């Protein structure tokens, strides 16, 4: 049974109880998703209400299996998993040649199944409820106390907003990994991967008026573990062992790659320590057709609803992530 508060002892000897951040982690488990999920599971300041699964880094079947296997490995099978949609609207929005290039890109980065590290086969099954319905149900049951943390394509989140207009008033906000406001993309010159997978959904979410903290490539690409940074995780917790194996495998399979960017972990970190990031308010829209397909366009607006991460204390962020993973 998961306790929803943590106890903290003050210097004077008195005890206070800190309420946990209730989150739904909407994810397409690939390599860096593993780090983010383990962080959320390990932090004593987060209560993971469930994982909702979307396609993106791999097929929906593979991302679902990866989530279930990770929970089995971490001995956290009580955390429920809800399957959503496969996302890749780019199959109908781009040419066959462009889509083949996209699939080659994600296989190179994440492998055929989405991961460069083996996980045990899971004996648990996802819940029958659709991910979108679970998001709505949890938001209604935890009004004002639930944050959505999507670290993959935004298909499930957009569908939930469409299906339940009250969702915007029920949740605390959204912390999402995606976009590239003032820097180039990583799938095309213009587009970041998660946004590229479903730009229509991304545009709907980012223009919804919901309070959003956007952790895009502006801050995530430059926060990384280097090939030689072998001492970044020094402990022997289950999570640290898996991540060391993952990093070793990634660097062996991708010999030209010398850095592993902490995209998704930064987004979980933004829930816990938003003060590590410099935020600027923007209106954000997404290009849904043409040569700039998937580009996030940011217009500065002090009254906007999207807080864009524009700078981060990279070394302190890496330290905080490693400390959480070591617990």
């Amino acid at each position: 049974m998961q306790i929803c508060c943590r106890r903290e002892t003050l210097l004077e000897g008195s005890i206070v109880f800190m309420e946990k951040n209730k989150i739904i982690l909407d994810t397409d488990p690939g390599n860096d998703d593993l780090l983010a999920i383990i962080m959320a599971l390990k932090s004593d300041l987060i209560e993971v209400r469930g994982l909702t699964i979307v396609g993106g880094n791999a097929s929906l079947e593979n991302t679902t299996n990866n989530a279930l296997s990770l929970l089995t490995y971490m001995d956290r099978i009580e955390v429920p998993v809800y399957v959503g949609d496969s996302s890749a609207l780019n199959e109908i929005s781009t040419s066959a040649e462009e889509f083949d290039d996209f699939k080659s890109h994600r296989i190179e980065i994440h492998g055929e199944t989405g991961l460069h590290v083996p996980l045990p086969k899971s004996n648990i099954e996802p819940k029958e409820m659709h991910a979108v319905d679970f998001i709505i149900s949890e938001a209604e049951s935890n009004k004002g106390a639930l944050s959505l943390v999507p670290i993959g394509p935004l298909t499930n989140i957009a569908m939930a907003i469409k299906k339940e207009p009250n969702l915007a008033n029920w949740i605390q906000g959204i912390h999402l990994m995606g976009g590239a406001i003032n820097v180039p993309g990583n799938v095309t010159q213009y587009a970041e991967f998660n946004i590229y997978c479903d730009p229509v959904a991304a545009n709907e979410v980012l223009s919804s008026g919901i309070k959003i903290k956007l952790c895009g490539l502006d801050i995530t690409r430059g926060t990384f573990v280097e090939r030689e940074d072998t001492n970044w995780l020094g402990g022997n917790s289950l999570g640290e062992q898996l991540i060391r194996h993952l990093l070793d495998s990634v660097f062996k399979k991708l010999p030209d790659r010398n850095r592993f960017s902490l995209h998704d972990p930064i987004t979980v970190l933004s829930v816990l320590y938003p003060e590590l990031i410099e935020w600027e308010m923007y209106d954000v829209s997404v290009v849904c057709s043409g040569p700039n397909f998937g580009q996030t366009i940011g217009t500065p607006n002090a009254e906007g609803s999207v807080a864009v991460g524009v700078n981060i204390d990279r070394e302190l962020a890496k330290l905080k992530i490693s400390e959480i993973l070591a617990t």
Side-chain angles (χ1 to χ4, degrees), residues 1 18 41 53 96 105 108 111 115 150-151 156 163 173 179 191 196 203 230 266 326:
M1 178 178 178
M18 304 287 289
L41 295 174
I53 309 302
H105 170 84
E108 177 186 357
L115 296 176
I151 54 176
N156 291 334
K163 187 169 184 177
Y196 182 87
N203 190 55
T230 54
I266 290 297

Side-chain angles (χ1 to χ4, degrees), residues 77-278:
I77 61 173
E78 81 283 359
V79 176
V81 173
Y82 298 84
V83 181
D85 277 48
S86 57
S87 86
L89 289 184
N90 45 35
E91 291 187 59
I92 59 173
S93 301
T94 60
S95 68
E97 182 180 6
E98 288 171 323
F99 186 62
D100 284 343
D101 286 344
F102 165 76
K103 288 194 293 185
S104 296
H105 170 84
R106 77 178 186 184
I107 289 171
E108 177 186 357
I109 300 300
H110 294 281
E112 288 282 353
T113 66
L115 296 176
H116 283 308
V117 64
L119 285 170
K121 182 175 175 57
S122 177
N123 292 321
I124 58 175
E125 298 289 337
K127 303 298 183 182
E128 291 186 7
M129 180 183 286
H130 191 279
V132 169
D133 295 321
F134 173 70
I135 290 169
I136 293 169
S137 174
E138 281 294 301
E140 185 174 17
S141 300
N142 295 278
K143 290 177 182 174
L146 179 74
S147 295
L148 305 182
V149 185
I151 54 176
L154 289 163
T155 310
N156 291 334
I157 308 301
M159 290 174 65
I161 292 170
K162 273 186 178 180
K163 187 169 184 177
E164 179 48 79
N166 288 316
L167 189 73
N169 299 318
W170 291 344
I171 62 174
Q172 279 192 351
I174 299 174
H175 296 247
L176 73 87
M177 193 281 130
I181 300 297
N182 299 307
V183 297
N186 60 357
V187 176
T188 70
Q189 176 185 350
Y190 307 102
E192 179 275 328
F193 181 90
N194 287 343
I195 304 299
Y196 182 87
C197 282
D198 194 340
V200 173
N203 190 55
E204 290 171 352
V205 172
L206 289 164
S207 62
S208 66
I210 295 173
K211 291 181 179 179
I212 292 172
K213 280 187 163 53
L214 181 68
C215 300
L217 298 182
D218 302 67
I219 59 172
T220 66
R221 184 156 46 193
T223 309
F224 50 79
V225 179
E226 294 186 277
R227 180 183 289 269
E228 296 80 14
D229 200 359
T230 54
N231 294 323
W232 181 57
L233 297 176
N236 280 309
S237 68
L238 284 174
E240 288 174 296
Q241 291 179 51
L242 179 63
I243 293 163
R244 279 200 300 272
H245 186 182
L246 170 66
L247 292 173
D248 183 61
S249 179
V250 167
F251 288 133
K252 283 181 178 177
K253 291 182 179 181
L254 302 172
D256 295 331
R257 183 175 178 179
N258 294 310
R259 296 175 174 179
F260 183 95
S261 292
L262 301 171
H263 301 294
D264 295 341
I266 290 297
T267 309
V268 173
L269 195 71
S270 77
V271 177
L272 298 168
Y273 304 106
E275 67 275 7
L276 296 182
I277 300 169
E278 179 184 348

Side-chain angles (χ1 to χ4, degrees), residues 1-7 18-26 35-51 76 78-79 145-149 151 172 175 264-274 320-321 324-325 327:
M1 178 178 178
Q2 192 171 29
I3 300 172
C4 62
C5 297
R6 73 179 178 97
R7 189 173 70 174
M18 304 287 289
E19 188 173 352
K20 287 192 174 187
N21 297 282
K22 295 181 179 181
I23 72 167
I24 291 175
L25 201 58
D26 190 74
L35 278 73
I37 296 168
I38 294 170
M39 277 180 67
L41 295 174
K42 298 291 284 184
S43 172
D44 62 357
L45 289 175
I46 287 179
E47 179 186 354
V48 181
R49 301 292 296 173
L51 303 182
R76 291 299 302 274
E78 81 283 359
V79 176
L146 179 74
S147 295
L148 305 182
V149 185
I151 54 176
Q172 279 192 351
H175 296 247
D264 295 341
I266 290 297
T267 309
V268 173
L269 195 71
S270 77
V271 177
L272 298 168
Y273 304 106
K320 288 292 187 184
I321 290 170
I324 295 168
L325 293 171
T327 59

